[in-house]
Amino acid sequence: MNMIPKVAMFGTGYVGLVSGVCIADFGINVICVDVDKEKIDGLNNGKIPIYEPGLDVFLERNIKAGRIQFTTDAKMAIEESNVLFIAVGTPPKENGEADMQYVYAVAETIGQYMNGYKVIVDKSTVPVGTGQVVKKIIADKLKERGVEYSFDVVSNPEFLREGKALYDFTHPDRVVIGVESEEVAEIMKKVYRPLYINETPFVITNIETAEMIKYASNAFLATKITFINEIANLCEKVGANVQQVAMAMGRDGRIGPKFLHAGPGFGGSCFPKDTKALVQIAEKHGVQMSVVNAVIEANERQKKMVAEKLEKFAGDLKGKTIGILGLAFKPETDDVREAPALTIIADLIERGASIRAYDPQAMEEAKKALRKYADNITYCKHAYDTAESVDALVIVTEWHEFRNMDLTLLKKIMRGNIFYDARNIYSRKDIEEKGFVFIGTGV
Ligand code: UGA
């Protein structure tokens, strides 16, 4: 099929915005669509709703080149484009299942306004089998309208890390494309042409396999983190050092060094949601997902352990003040969804402590998420402000600016002497030399 791709991107959340901007940067015309008018107006005026390093530069140059536009007009976007990406949210429901209402609503809209052949690409993380549901929704809508247009559905999961999303989109380890025909795969290769000619591995497979690859990858990474977290807990008891264990394990090419950093548990919008959704999908099909189930449980325990360990070292936390450095679920993002800091702060307050907290980017988001505890939290201007008169200081997120703090100054302004480095970014020796009591994770 000799088709020049013109892309519509439904959803200007994290995935949609980054994907839309990066595809525009590949030289393709992209129309980003969202139902949120305020967001669209903001984007048309260069206002980016999320913090992601480099996104402003990419956005500006593609707006200047006239390759990207933002609209709430779904009809126009569908009529003007031939490759329609669905990149809307699939938030978890109470039972862990993915809430599919936004994906299905976009599919309906596409069926409603389709005016010729279209490729519909699912980029949202969706339960296995969604591609076929999307296909049916569109076919039913076309039937209702009494029109006949051919279309193809594709699964094209994303593997972006927040904070490194632009790099990940433009330098992927692989591009996964689930299709039902060779011709559609060729169209998708055109969308990703700069990567394709650069010899990025393309995994062309069926829709269900592509959908499964996403869940299996995220669940495996979450397992790797949880595994090293549990080893860290044991290291603490037996006098071993988890960083050296992880480094030596990682040298084994079969294991690999990445995602073996022990810490206060994984958070974010993906791992917690996707592990739970995978368990749900497996349950529906009568398949045991015992490893992933154990990962979910162990991760909850890991987050809880921070307050427990602190209590062990500091004694009763009632009336104590604890400084928390880092609220985002990881550095270089303002995202606090499922962030360990939220659980840790709630636990400490439940134990009677007051909190001083700071994050370089996530203060507003954290204030919203921790609204319930507002009376017990003082939001601070920087790390040293946070340390003012606290009994213990806890590094929860490893932002660069926390890596090289003036320890002498910290010691002077803190009331107590407990330095809890949950991310192992300092050495025990350096901290103890300054007269602190050091707590780490498995070191
Ligand atoms: C994750 C995956 O890494 C991406 O490949 C995937 O595309 C994305 O989810 C998604 O499904 O959209 P992300 O959630 O942005 O990306 O962040 P990660 O860098 O993977 O970190 C997740 C959590 O694990 C963070 O809380 C981080 O602190 C924690 N982590 C990570 C560790 O505790 N130890 C590690 O060694 C690595």
Side-chain angles (χ1 to χ4, degrees), residues 380-396:
C380 301
K381 290 196 271 308
H382 43 70
Y384 301 104
D385 183 24
T386 314
E388 191 73 49
S389 303
V390 296
D391 296 286
L393 191 63
V394 188
I395 300 173
V396 180

Side-chain angles (χ1 to χ4, degrees), residues 324-325 356-359 363 379-388 401-402 405 413:
I324 300 288
L325 296 179
R356 293 179 69 80
Y358 167 70
D359 187 282
M363 298 290 265
Y379 291 96
C380 301
K381 290 196 271 308
H382 43 70
Y384 301 104
D385 183 24
T386 314
E388 191 73 49
E401 65 181 75
F402 303 148
M405 293 187 288
I413 54 188

Side-chain angles (χ1 to χ4, degrees), residues 14-15 125 158-164 168 174 214 217-218 221-222 224-225 228-229 257-274 328-331 338-340 396-398 423:
Y14 197 81
V15 173
T125 302
E158 57 83 20
F159 300 99
L160 310 174
R161 286 165 302 170
E162 292 190 19
K164 302 226 163 53
D168 286 351
R174 74 302 205 190
K214 169 71 189 200
S217 302
N218 271 4
L221 291 171
K224 220 174 158 186
I225 299 167
I228 204 68
N229 282 344
K258 293 183 182 164
F259 276 66
L260 286 179
H261 299 288
F266 60 76
S269 63
C270 304
F271 291 168
K273 168 171 84 79
D274 293 351
F329 81 97
K330 65 174 199 176
E338 304 273 345
V396 180
T397 314
E398 69 279 30
R423 296 283 183 175

Side-chain angles (χ1 to χ4, degrees), residues 104-414:
Y104 295 162
V106 174
E108 276 225 40
T109 310
I110 292 173
Q112 177 74 40
Y113 297 122
M114 228 165 102
N115 61 338
Y117 174 74
K118 311 279 175 191
V119 178
I120 294 99
V121 187
D122 190 8
K123 219 174 205 342
S124 306
T125 302
V126 293
V128 182
T130 298
Q132 301 305 333
V133 180
V134 164
K135 204 160 137 187
K136 184 164 183 319
I137 293 173
I138 297 173
D140 287 351
K141 201 74 203 173
L142 293 178
K143 212 177 197 180
E144 197 184 301
R145 284 171 63 198
V147 292
E148 268 182 43
Y149 296 118
S150 62
F151 68 95
D152 281 290
V153 171
V154 174
S155 166
N156 172 217
E158 57 83 20
F159 300 99
L160 310 174
R161 286 165 302 170
E162 292 190 19
K164 302 226 163 53
L166 296 169
Y167 180 86
D168 286 351
F169 198 97
T170 49
H171 301 77
D173 291 332
R174 74 302 205 190
V175 173
V176 175
I177 295 180
V179 285
E180 290 179 317
S181 80
E182 266 303 311
E183 286 88 351
V184 192
E186 290 308 312
I187 296 171
M188 291 306 292
K189 283 180 195 165
K190 281 188 194 167
V191 173
Y192 288 106
R193 190 165 178 279
L195 304 180
Y196 192 66
I197 56 175
N198 240 347
E199 295 182 2
T200 299
F202 271 57
V203 181
I204 310 284
T205 180
N206 68 21
I207 294 175
E208 290 69 26
T209 307
E211 290 169 342
M212 185 56 95
I213 289 169
K214 169 71 189 200
Y215 278 112
S217 302
N218 271 4
F220 188 80
L221 291 171
T223 304
K224 220 174 158 186
I225 299 167
T226 305
F227 180 84
I228 204 68
N229 282 344
E230 293 207 317
I231 294 292
N233 300 341
L234 184 56
C235 283
E236 278 173 21
K237 301 286 178 201
V238 299
N241 180 309
V242 75
Q243 279 181 309
Q244 288 176 351
V245 172
M247 195 269 282
M249 278 172 67
R251 287 293 166 102
D252 184 329
R254 293 168 301 177
I255 297 173
K258 293 183 182 164
F259 276 66
L260 286 179
H261 299 288
F266 60 76
S269 63
C270 304
F271 291 168
K273 168 171 84 79
D274 293 351
T275 43
K276 285 181 199 136
L278 182 57
V279 167
Q280 281 289 327
I281 299 167
E283 260 174 24
K284 262 194 190 152
H285 290 87
V287 174
Q288 284 242 349
M289 218 24 80
S290 40
V291 172
V292 183
N293 248 324
V295 165
I296 296 167
E297 261 178 47
N299 194 56
E300 283 311 308
R301 272 201 303 276
Q302 194 71 15
K303 291 191 276 183
K304 296 258 169 221
M305 276 182 57
V306 175
E308 284 164 20
K309 265 165 73 176
L310 203 52
E311 197 164 50
K312 221 173 81 194
F313 282 85
D316 191 354
L317 294 179
K318 214 168 277 155
K320 298 231 161 78
T321 306
I322 314 293
I324 300 288
L325 296 179
L327 302 167
F329 81 97
K330 65 174 199 176
E332 300 299 337
T333 177
D334 61 353
D335 197 340
V336 300
R337 282 177 287 178
E338 304 273 345
L342 302 184
T343 308
I344 294 166
I345 288 174
D347 283 353
L348 293 171
I349 292 174
E350 304 287 342
R351 283 162 203 256
S354 311
I355 303 295
R356 293 179 69 80
Y358 167 70
D359 187 282
Q361 288 295 338
M363 298 290 265
E364 290 314 311
E365 296 302 316
K367 275 182 200 166
K368 279 186 241 159
L370 290 163
R371 211 176 301 126
K372 187 174 150 199
Y373 298 103
D375 291 349
N376 302 86
I377 306 173
T378 307
Y379 291 96
C380 301
K381 290 196 271 308
H382 43 70
Y384 301 104
D385 183 24
T386 314
E388 191 73 49
S389 303
V390 296
D391 296 286
L393 191 63
V394 188
I395 300 173
V396 180
T397 314
E398 69 279 30
W399 284 92
H400 281 313
E401 65 181 75
F402 303 148
R403 286 179 183 268
N404 202 10
M405 293 187 288
D406 181 339
L407 299 172
T408 312
L409 180 59
L410 280 182
K411 185 76 187 32
K412 215 183 277 171
I413 54 188
M414 280 171 62

